[in-house]
Amino acid sequence: MAKDDFDVLEEASEVVGKKEGRRVGGDVNPYRLGTNETKTTRISLELYELIRRIAFEEKRSMLDVTNQMLLEGLDSPMFSNYKKYFNN
């Protein structure tokens, strides 16, 4: 009896899942890259796409790019008086 594609895929996933008796993937959550706590915020879709493009082209995380943009914005004359509230 010939195996269909679903049987082959199921067997392959079982083999990968049981690789050396360990769980596939790391034990570290990839979304918690640092020790800093993060929060969500809403931004325009156009700005989101720009941040995503910059992160991709520079091979950086979107969090890193967003943080750098915000910190550089705090250096502008418009927001510089608020930088005293930032504990960095």
Side-chain angles (χ1 to χ4, degrees), residues 28-45:
V28 178
N29 183 345
Y31 298 104
R32 184 175 284 295
L33 298 175
T35 58
N36 292 339
E37 185 177 339
T38 60
K39 296 280 186 178
T40 58
T41 186
R42 292 175 57 123
I43 58 172
S44 66
L45 186 59

Side-chain angles (χ1 to χ4, degrees), residues 73-86:
L74 283 173
D75 287 335
S76 73
M78 181 181 238
F79 300 108
S80 61
N81 58 332
Y82 293 103
K83 196 163 185 176
K84 63 185 173 191
Y85 299 111
F86 181 67

Side-chain angles (χ1 to χ4, degrees), residues 1-46:
M1 178 178 207
K3 293 182 180 180
D4 64 4
D5 292 338
F6 293 111
D7 290 334
V8 172
L9 288 174
E10 188 174 314
E11 287 176 5
S13 66
E14 287 176 11
V15 168
V16 170
K18 294 178 182 177
K19 185 178 181 180
E20 298 177 10
R22 294 181 300 167
R23 195 180 101 201
V24 176
D27 292 332
V28 178
N29 183 345
Y31 298 104
R32 184 175 284 295
L33 298 175
T35 58
N36 292 339
E37 185 177 339
T38 60
K39 296 280 186 178
T40 58
T41 186
R42 292 175 57 123
I43 58 172
S44 66
L45 186 59
E46 293 84 12

